[in-house]
Amino acid sequence: MKFVNTDIVFQEIPDEVSLAINISSCPCRCPGCHSQYLWEDIGEPLDTTALDKLIAKYEGEVSCVAFMGGDADPEGVNSLAKYVHASYPKLRVAWYSGRIRIPAGINRQDFDYIKIGPFIRHLGPLKQPTTNQRLYRRNPDGTFEDITYRFWKHA
């Protein structure tokens, strides 16, 4: 698994300041994708060493690590999520997946947030009430709650 770049984002996960890590080799290839450069197998290896360096760079500034993609290696994303929780217990972990459902064998409890769904242009992104994409937050009891509505502006 490789990552291309990172950014500090405020809108991807409600109430979180997230270190967004853009992962390459996306197999989803959604028509209308705003990050087509992530379809290619480019970037640097994303492993625990790279993750430690990224987190150290933004220590105290972020509350969440958001894996943006990784659908070519969901087990790798799951492993890194588990690592973040074990090594940085104050950080929350999010995963933006373009898949329709989370693959079997992935431990959802290793994530605090999971976004699923491919981008479908006529349905719109998360900020549109018509979107097919959904963002779920893990509750203290381990269940997941759909919080997609948090992206929608209410009149």
Side-chain angles (χ1 to χ4, degrees):
M1 183 166 39
K2 296 178 185 175
F3 76 104
V4 179
N5 53 24
T6 63
D7 203 358
I8 303 301
V9 296
F10 303 94
Q11 295 183 351
E12 303 296 343
I13 305 296
D15 306 321
E16 303 285 357
V17 177
S18 299
L19 169 60
I21 303 172
N22 292 311
I23 301 172
S24 65
S25 296
C26 182
C28 299
R29 300 177 187 259
C30 303
C33 173
H34 62 73
S35 301
Q36 290 185 11
Y37 69 98
L38 295 175
W39 295 2
E40 304 301 319
D41 181 18
I42 57 175
E44 300 175 37
L46 181 58
D47 55 18
T48 56
T49 301
L51 201 48
D52 286 337
K53 288 179 184 175
L54 292 170
I55 292 171
K57 184 176 179 180
Y58 299 105
E59 188 173 356
E61 297 176 31
V62 297
S63 59
C64 182
V65 174
F67 296 104
M68 309 302 283
D71 289 302
D73 186 5
E75 293 83 9
V77 174
N78 196 159
S79 178
L80 291 176
K82 184 178 283 197
Y83 176 78
V84 171
H85 275 152
S87 301
Y88 306 94
K90 292 184 179 181
L91 290 178
R92 283 167 290 288
V93 179
W95 182 20
Y96 262 53
S97 171
R99 298 290 187 186
I100 294 170
R101 62 186 56 87
I102 299 300
I106 299 303
N107 185 354
R108 295 169 192 229
Q109 298 303 310
D110 290 329
F111 298 92
D112 299 288
Y113 302 92
I114 299 176
K115 191 281 300 180
I116 57 172
F119 174 72
I120 300 175
R121 186 188 314 257
H122 73 276
L123 296 176
L126 280 171
K127 67 182 181 179
Q128 298 294 324
T130 55
T131 188
N132 63 297
Q133 299 177 316
R134 290 287 177 261
L135 179 67
Y136 296 93
R137 176 182 59 210
R138 183 171 46 86
N139 291 316
D141 67 359
T143 61
F144 278 81
E145 172 186 5
D146 185 341
I147 61 166
T148 311
Y149 70 91
R150 298 279 313 272
F151 291 96
W152 305 336
K153 292 190 175 22
H154 300 284

